[in-house]
Amino acid sequence: MKPLLITVSLLSLMTAASFAQSDPPVEQPMATDSTMVASTPSITPPAPVSSLEAKDSPDDHGHSITLSWEPSADDGAGAATVTSYVIYHSTSPEGPFDSVGSAISGATTFTHSSAKESDAAGFLADYVDRYYRIDAVTADQTIRTPSSVVGPVQSSGQWYNDGRTPVAVAVAFFGLLSLFFLKRAKAGADLYVRPLGGIEAVDEAIGRATEMGKPILYVLGLGTASDISTIASFTILGRVAKRVAEYQTHLIVPCYDPIVMAVAQETVKAAYMDAGRPDDYKEDMVYFLTNSQFGYVGAVNGIMLRQLPATNVYMGKFYAESLLLAETGALAGSIQISGTDEVAQIPFFVVACDYTLIGEELYAASAYLGREPLLLGSLKAQDYAKAAVIICALLGALALNIAAASNATWGLTFKEFFKVTN
Amino acid sequence: MSRLAIIVTICVVVLFLGSWIFKALQAQDAGVDHYLLRGFLVTCSAFLTLAILSFLYKDNPIYKFAEHLYVGISAGYWMSQGFWSTIVGNLIPRLSQSLSGFFKQPYNAGEWMGGFFYTNWVFYVPVIFGVLLLMRLSSKYGWISRWALAFIVGTTAGLQFIRYMRSDFIEQISSTFVPLLVDWQGIGHFFSNLSLSATGQLVAMVSNWIIFLGVLCGLIYFFFSKEHTGLFGKASRFGIWILMVTFGASFGYTVMGRVSLLVGRITFLFRDWLGITS
Amino acid sequence: MKRQIPLVLVLIFGLFMVIQYFIPHESSEWIYEYLLDWITIIGVFALVLGIWSLFKVNYDKISQRKPDRGYSLVLLISLFATMFFGFFAKVDGSWGLHFSTADGLQSYMYRHAYEYIIRPIQSTIFSLLAFFIASAAYRAFRARNVLASLLLAAALIVMLRFNPYLGPLGDYISEAANWLLNVPNLAAKRAIVIGIGLGMVATALKVILGIERSYMGKG
């Protein structure tokens, strides 16, 4: 067997070599659907693309095939310069092949895909054998050389997205860290948190409102119940409402979103029950205004000037209205405490409010106000995660700089660990 | 009503009527259909603009009127908008062929998945949740609405958890890896091109150090479980300085944009309403 | 029933949303899209709650003869008038339900309400910001501590960056302003964003695990 095999391969090699010396042969098209051969013998058609491969696109929902190839030898050079590649597709190796798109010269990949709805244009069903061919096309569209046909290949959806592994690691890391500290908190460990200006001010401000016999205005911002900052704000509202109930001050909570209103009603009602004053809770403390940003601002500004609240608390998501609200409140002479995670709005609150919880402090505030061990536990987890970020940043910068100084590329490998693709 | 209030009211009414007539005549000359209505509407928008601007002086009945009008109209507007776009546009075509015919919407027949599951069935779920939510209006069964709230809060908490884990945590870590050293090519090269906007080596290096230390110290400022004293306190102090400089820069950056908004409104008053400038 | 079912719902849907992120398969994507649709649809049902609340608060003001009841009446009339025109319109000479077409709702009145009332008021309130930002800057001026001064100095540098009257000094200022916006700004924003990310992630986790339940009336 063996000698025979060697002879055959030698023979074929020799034939190939002799072909290579003569003019490159024009590959005969496998399909009959289009004319791909140069009609005039005076112009040499370009070399075809080589190493054409078709694969199911990775980490996706299916309905997509990725093609890759080595450009034609005449790409960007040669007598018959290739200006584009036209991609042909068929469900049978014999054709007919249909054009499904093109790539400019120099390109080496193409994705043939469709939406996942079965009535979408050019729908690509999964688990169907597909065949591809690429034509190297010159400026004169008729002068082109097809590649050999590749296939069969099938598209399919994956059940795990490899490119997102760093996120999975982060979820596991943070989840375990949180669980660890929650457990410690439950076991009664003494968890220290440093005092935070804005938080101390909340109690003070409620006291002042009581003394003056004026209401407290709590603004939840423009967030919906889908925004985590609004959820954090509900917790703070709960604490504020409880104090308000204890001091028997009046609370005003105008809302921008009806679901936020529903939740805020539940929160305030429960706070009054907790404080042992369920009868003091009134339906009209928490009410809806309008779903329009500036309509809401106009109405809340009106409340500030007419009911003259002693304290305005802004917690949650805010956009351009932050300054309109906070300035009106400041002009009306109220004590103002704010907190938001909208980075662009923090400066306005900082300028116009007495205390501002910046970014993460908003999320920490609920733990501070409640002093509940479980909430404090999760604050510890946040701090350790920040420490991890700092360590990673130090290590990463170190690796990058040492590697750069020694002209090595491994410094970038560390960066790859954190790279989320797709 | 005080005398002043009566005078002001009369003035406002007279001005309004005057503007209405004037704008209507103008529209008639221009050959606009419904010129009376057009004159009324343009006058309305001008008066409402002035009413809102009057808030700058102090709270007053005209502002109050505009504010209440606006709250009512915008709430009604978004209500109808939600009904037509979501209920009629998205829900009804999935639930009933005759109803979608009535609302002139194309019926979406859905499909059977695997022969046992009809895709349109899933659209009954939000209806059920929606009805549960409306149970809030009943004092006895109000607690049931929490099921709907729990669904919304749970779904979005999961969504945001994973979204921010990626964008605000993982992806931010690797961007703090910046080159802190320079490729040494002699002292002259190092100190050349000292302008802040240029890419001289010294400037680039100092900037990168500020970015790097700024991020670290900023994070240290947000540490809750350690007293900010000693070296840690100094780092935290530097962190809050960087934050404040940033807030200032961001504040200054917004000013110009806000002024142009005001210019836009003033242009409306003078050009579109009074026709003074063109 | 009252407490357990909501917690179970939160846990199930919260975990699903986390897990689906790692599953690119279309079955997971379908469910994800349906869930988002559901939230939008439930949101419209919630609008009924909002309108009811708005109605009740203002109706009470009127029936209790509160001093500002006239304005409440204005609010209710405009609310119901807009809703009426949002559903009914004079189409082809007769009144009836009006329908949504490719260019939006047909109702003439409804579109005018937007064009001539909502839009001018909206942009005027927005433009008030120009005055408010000035008074806020003045407030920052008066604050005499290190932090406020830093803020003000940075604000001034950035505000003066396009000022043509400063001559050669203007070039330095605009260079400094660009540096401020590119360097310290980047550092601070990144620190804030990482902090916010962690705060959000921690809060969301507490919600999913049922530790944080203020949203259903238990802090």
Side-chain angles (χ1 to χ4, degrees):
Chain A
M1 262 319 259
K2 243 184 184 168
L4 184 70
L5 244 170
I6 295 172
T7 328
V8 171
S9 10
L10 270 177
L11 245 166
S12 51
L13 262 175
M14 278 159 69
T15 346
S18 66
F19 261 112
Q21 276 165 10
S22 62
D23 282 347
V26 176
E27 266 192 63
Q28 281 307 310
M30 299 212 33
T32 49
D33 55 319
S34 54
T35 54
M36 280 139 281
V37 195
S39 42
T40 39
S42 59
I43 301 171
T44 331
V49 302
S50 53
S51 324
L52 175 61
E53 269 186 77
K55 280 186 193 153
D56 174 31
S57 306
D59 300 337
D60 71 347
H61 65 208
H63 312 292
S64 169
I65 300 281
T66 304
L67 302 173
S68 63
W69 62 88
E70 292 291 325
S72 150
D74 294 316
D75 189 326
T81 303
V82 173
T83 53
S84 67
Y85 298 106
V86 180
I87 291 90
Y88 286 90
H89 158 257
S90 171
T91 47
S92 139
E94 281 81 39
F97 279 80
D98 295 317
S99 158
V100 289
S102 65
I104 53 165
S105 66
T108 55
T109 56
F110 179 83
T111 309
H112 179 210
S113 61
S114 77
K116 64 182 183 294
E117 287 76 16
S118 54
D119 54 355
F123 178 68
L124 221 62
D126 280 343
Y127 306 110
V128 170
D129 281 346
R130 299 179 184 285
Y131 300 85
Y132 290 91
R133 193 194 76 214
I134 294 184
D135 283 10
V137 182
T138 61
D140 179 353
Q141 292 286 313
T142 57
I143 302 170
R144 45 169 69 199
T145 313
S147 68
S148 50
V149 170
V150 290
V153 57
Q154 295 188 337
S155 68
S156 64
Q158 278 72 49
W159 289 98
Y160 177 71
N161 190 334
D162 253 343
R164 292 179 173 178
T165 302
V167 183
V169 173
V171 169
F173 167 73
F174 192 77
L176 290 176
L177 203 62
S178 302
L179 289 179
F180 172 74
F181 280 105
L182 290 177
K183 222 172 159 189
R184 279 200 57 193
K186 253 190 193 156
D190 184 29
L191 303 173
Y192 171 82
V193 288
R194 74 179 165 92
L196 203 66
I199 301 299
E200 323 261 285
V202 171
D203 272 343
E204 228 173 87
I206 297 171
R208 189 176 102 140
T210 318
E211 274 168 31
M212 297 166 75
K214 285 179 172 178
I216 287 178
L217 174 70
Y218 194 102
V219 181
L220 285 149
L222 292 201
T224 62
S226 312
D227 291 303
I228 304 291
S229 48
T230 311
I231 293 180
S233 182
F234 288 140
T235 318
I236 302 171
L237 172 64
R239 315 282 183 226
V240 169
K242 197 175 162 196
R243 294 287 151 73
V244 166
E246 285 161 359
Y247 283 108
Q248 291 180 288
T249 312
H250 187 57
L251 180 68
I252 312 169
V253 189
C255 297
Y256 165 81
D257 178 272
I259 294 182
V260 168
M261 174 201 77
V263 178
Q265 283 174 341
E266 291 281 315
T267 310
V268 174
K269 205 184 206 170
Y272 272 75
M273 279 215 289
D274 258 10
R277 298 185 187 278
D279 296 339
D280 288 355
Y281 171 75
K282 300 275 179 319
E283 276 286 315
D284 62 357
M285 285 176 173
V286 185
Y287 56 93
F288 173 76
L289 278 173
T290 170
N291 239 342
S292 135
Q293 180 183 15
F294 292 107
Y296 180 71
V297 176
V300 174
N301 277 352
I303 294 170
M304 285 185 202
L305 293 186
R306 281 159 225 151
Q307 308 203 21
L308 296 173
T311 306
N312 302 330
V313 186
Y314 313 96
M315 297 278 169
K317 210 155 203 66
F318 290 86
Y319 300 102
E321 71 285 356
S322 64
L323 186 63
L324 289 171
L325 294 171
E327 264 303 305
T328 310
L331 294 172
S334 311
I335 288 189
Q336 305 206 92
I337 303 166
S338 58
T340 185
D341 63 353
E342 252 331 290
V343 181
Q345 305 305 328
I346 298 174
F348 304 122
F349 277 144
V350 168
V351 170
C353 293
D354 300 271
Y355 296 94
T356 302
L357 300 175
I358 300 169
E360 194 183 0
E361 292 176 340
L362 166 69
Y363 296 99
S366 59
Y368 269 89
L369 281 167
R371 293 256 154 206
E372 259 181 50
L374 283 181
L375 296 177
L376 289 179
S378 96
L379 211 54
K380 282 275 175 192
Q382 274 164 257
D383 272 5
Y384 275 83
K386 258 173 289 183
V389 173
I390 292 180
I391 292 169
C392 284
L394 286 172
L395 286 179
L398 202 68
L400 190 80
N401 285 293
I402 292 177
S406 55
N407 285 328
T409 49
W410 51 264
L412 292 171
T413 330
F414 192 68
K415 208 165 182 168
E416 291 294 304
F417 284 141
F418 298 95
K419 198 170 170 193
V420 186
T421 50
N422 195 344
Chain B
M1 255 191 176
S2 71
R3 195 134 153 237
L4 181 73
I6 293 172
I7 296 172
V8 170
T9 315
I10 291 173
C11 288
V12 169
V13 171
V14 168
L15 274 174
F16 188 93
L17 290 174
S19 160
W20 183 0
I21 295 167
F22 178 71
K23 292 308 283 188
L25 289 175
Q26 235 182 11
Q28 192 186 18
D29 284 348
V32 177
D33 288 345
H34 306 291
Y35 53 86
L36 269 182
L37 179 66
R38 183 54 59 95
F40 175 76
L41 290 170
V42 174
T43 305
C44 264
S45 28
F47 268 74
L48 291 172
T49 301
L50 291 173
I52 297 296
L53 286 175
S54 74
F55 177 75
L56 288 171
Y57 171 59
K58 69 178 211 190
D59 187 33
N60 61 72
I62 299 173
Y63 173 77
K64 265 180 171 169
F65 171 80
E67 170 208 317
H68 283 83
L69 180 81
Y70 184 33
V71 169
I73 289 189
S74 60
Y77 183 83
W78 292 115
M79 168 85 193
S80 334
Q81 201 73 7
F83 175 79
W84 286 105
S85 67
T86 304
I87 301 289
V88 174
N90 197 357
L91 184 65
I92 284 178
R94 296 292 200 148
L95 295 186
S96 149
Q97 188 158 14
S98 52
L99 263 182
S100 26
F102 176 75
F103 284 110
K104 302 185 179 168
Q105 293 292 317
Y107 177 61
N108 186 332
E111 55 187 320
W112 285 90
M113 276 180 149
F116 64 94
F117 181 77
Y118 186 47
T119 50
N120 277 357
W121 285 346
V122 298
F123 285 88
Y124 284 97
V125 182
V127 176
I128 295 169
F129 272 131
V131 171
L132 291 185
L133 189 67
L134 292 183
M135 297 294 273
R136 287 194 65 77
L137 299 175
S138 133
S139 50
K140 196 171 168 201
Y141 298 103
W143 56 271
I144 273 192
S145 69
R146 282 187 201 146
W147 294 12
L149 298 178
F151 162 74
I152 293 179
V153 170
T155 310
T156 52
L159 185 68
Q160 310 281 37
F161 175 79
I162 207 73
R163 185 178 284 169
Y164 286 98
M165 187 64 103
R166 175 179 178 167
S167 68
D168 284 17
F169 186 65
I170 288 285
E171 295 187 337
Q172 298 296 330
I173 296 177
S174 57
S175 27
T176 49
F177 304 167
V178 286
L180 298 173
L181 303 174
V182 292
D183 188 9
W184 188 256
Q185 293 165 8
I187 197 148
H189 187 72
F190 184 70
F191 283 107
S192 67
N193 214 348
L194 288 178
S195 147
L196 277 178
S197 59
T199 45
Q201 277 197 323
L202 178 66
V203 174
M205 192 177 96
V206 169
S207 299
N208 276 347
W209 272 98
I210 289 181
I211 292 180
F212 186 67
L213 292 178
V215 173
L216 297 195
C217 294
L219 283 175
I220 286 173
Y221 171 77
F222 287 115
F223 260 84
F224 301 108
S225 51
K226 193 165 168 8
E227 202 110 37
H228 287 186
T229 51
L231 186 64
F232 201 72
K234 289 213 173 80
S236 144
R237 194 84 192 140
F238 179 67
I240 186 73
W241 284 6
I242 291 270
L243 292 186
M244 282 299 160
V245 167
T246 298
F247 294 152
S250 162
F251 186 93
Y253 193 76
T254 321
V255 171
M256 295 309 280
R258 299 302 180 238
V259 170
S260 65
L261 288 171
L262 182 66
V263 171
R265 269 343 269 169
I266 291 174
T267 316
F268 163 76
L269 284 181
F270 283 93
R271 191 184 62 196
D272 299 353
W273 179 47
L274 297 176
I276 291 175
T277 56
S278 58
Chain C
M1 275 289 262
K2 286 190 185 178
R3 290 243 167 263
Q4 299 309 320
I5 290 187
L7 289 181
V8 171
L9 284 174
V10 166
L11 186 69
I12 292 174
F13 286 106
L15 282 183
F16 171 79
M17 286 313 251
V18 174
I19 294 168
Q20 66 79 28
Y21 176 77
F22 298 101
I23 306 178
H25 197 271
E26 60 182 337
S27 50
S28 130
E29 246 178 320
W30 284 120
I31 304 178
Y32 168 82
E33 282 163 19
Y34 282 144
L35 289 184
L36 294 191
D37 273 349
W38 291 4
I39 292 179
T40 324
I41 294 169
I42 298 173
V44 177
F45 278 87
L47 276 176
V48 176
L49 288 182
I51 299 293
W52 170 251
S53 161
L54 195 59
F55 169 74
K56 195 160 178 303
V57 166
N58 285 288
Y59 176 78
D60 286 352
K61 268 189 197 160
I62 296 168
S63 64
Q64 289 163 12
R65 311 197 136 264
K66 292 258 173 78
D68 272 353
R69 61 182 181 280
Y71 299 105
S72 291
L73 193 65
V74 170
L75 192 152
L76 288 184
I77 291 173
S78 53
L79 171 70
F80 288 112
T82 317
M83 276 172 39
F84 177 81
F85 290 120
F87 295 103
F88 298 97
K90 206 171 179 182
V91 181
D92 301 331
S94 61
W95 283 92
L97 260 182
H98 77 150
F99 297 100
S100 189
T101 61
D103 349 308
L105 291 171
Q106 292 168 348
S107 173
Y108 192 66
M109 295 298 284
Y110 185 68
R111 274 167 32 191
H112 281 2
Y114 183 79
E115 188 62 25
Y116 293 97
I117 297 176
I118 295 188
R119 231 173 46 126
I121 298 190
Q122 181 173 304
S123 33
T124 311
I125 296 185
F126 202 7
S127 75
L128 289 181
L129 270 173
F131 295 100
F132 283 35
I133 212 164
S135 78
Y138 174 68
R139 197 180 305 284
F141 235 137
R142 286 186 317 179
R144 290 178 201 282
N145 63 53
V146 184
L147 293 182
S149 317
L150 276 173
L151 187 143
L152 192 72
L156 277 178
I157 292 176
V158 175
M159 274 193 274
L160 290 176
R161 73 190 188 286
F162 293 134
N163 196 317
Y165 303 110
L166 290 172
L169 188 66
D171 293 344
Y172 290 118
I173 289 183
S174 97
E175 254 177 34
N178 284 332
W179 185 81
L180 281 179
L181 290 170
N182 288 328
V183 177
N185 191 26
L186 186 72
K189 287 228 166 108
R190 194 167 290 152
I192 297 177
V193 159
I194 294 176
I196 290 171
L198 283 172
M200 277 202 189
V201 166
T203 310
L205 189 68
K206 282 184 280 184
V207 168
I208 296 171
L209 295 178
I211 297 166
E212 169 80 79
R213 29 181 119 156
S214 57
Y215 61 91
M216 42 180 250
K218 177 81 181 81

